Amino acid sequence: MFVRPQSVRAQAAPKAPLKVVASFSILADFVRNVGGDRVEVMSLVGPDSDTHVYTPLPADGRRVAAAKLVVVNGLGLEGWLPRLVRASGGKANLVVATKGIVPLKSEAEGHDHGHGHDHGEGDDPHAWQSVANAKVYVANIRDALIAADAEGADIYRRNADAYLTALDALDREVREAVASIPPERRRVISSHEAFGYFAAAYGIAFMAPQGVSTDSEPSARDVAAIITQIRKDKIPAVFLENISDPRLVRRIAAETGVKIGGSLFSDSLSAKNGPVPTYIDLVRHNIKALTSALTG
């Protein structure tokens, strides 16, 4: 939970908090850390839910209409959101939190999954999986809050600086943990291609039967290729994901004899009373699960 010192909190709260809507729970956590008591933030896609396949509710349109800012990931993650914003009739400023990040390309570049959208002509939207990218998200959110509420500029800068310092420490923590894993064991299977940015930043290779979106089913050929890869490269562990149906990964584990290393959090946080209520908790949970499974 975000807690500001009492001296800051006392001067931070305006008469009415700035209403901010975030598309999903990880973005909402970034906004809370930067905005503190000056913002009232809600997430359209809740904990342990899948943003890729979310269907907006009537109440979501009312929330967007009442908001001053709508913070989105971009890179094609929220294919359902532009229509919602138009239908709401609101005048909220749209903040693309990934602005300035150079996107990775998915293997199925430009592939339409049959639901009327693709992921930015092959862009992988999961940029938050690199802590360095998370810092870009935070800076973009800070700047958007300052533009919307200039009186709170000093508060937003102070909060952002403190959070960016914490993210720097988190990045070092991840790199130290990965260094403890033998290089030949830094290979895992996950449910869908959600960890490309993590792999690029920290040197653990991920393979998945599903692409960057969960809105399409993997083919039998895709699954067979993964099984062949596991056997050929002696991949040490497969992982479930908190937002995905576990049956496919369990089947792959059963057919290959590879152990299930636990669950990774990919596209959402848990509920407040769960194991991953914040982004920092998410990264720590995932690196602990990875090191536990791969160092044995």
Side-chain angles (χ1 to χ4, degrees), residues 21 42-45 54-66 80 84-85 88:
V21 167
M42 66 82 52
S43 175
L44 296 176
V45 184
Y54 183 69
T55 299
L57 303 172
D60 291 337
R62 295 191 291 271
R63 292 174 179 128
V64 169
W80 44 268
L84 173 65
V85 171
S88 74

Side-chain angles (χ1 to χ4, degrees), residues 18-19 35 39 43-44 57 73 114 118 137-138 169 174 178 180 199-200 214 220-221 232 240 249 273 275 284 292:
L18 188 73
K19 290 185 180 295
V39 303
S43 175
L44 296 176
L57 303 172
N73 186 80
D118 62 19
Y137 281 66
V138 170
V174 175
V178 172
S180 72
T214 58
R221 181 179 177 181
K232 177 185 175 183
L240 308 173
V249 171
N273 59 352
R284 284 181 172 152
S292 177

Side-chain angles (χ1 to χ4, degrees), residues 28 40 44 58 76 80 84 90 94 102 140 143 170-171 188 209 216 220 244 247 249-250 252 270:
E40 178 185 320
L44 296 176
W80 44 268
L84 173 65
L94 194 67
V102 177
N140 286 330
D143 293 346
L170 180 66
D171 185 71
V188 299
S216 62
S244 299
R247 289 175 293 181
V249 171
R250 292 189 188 280
I252 290 171
S270 69

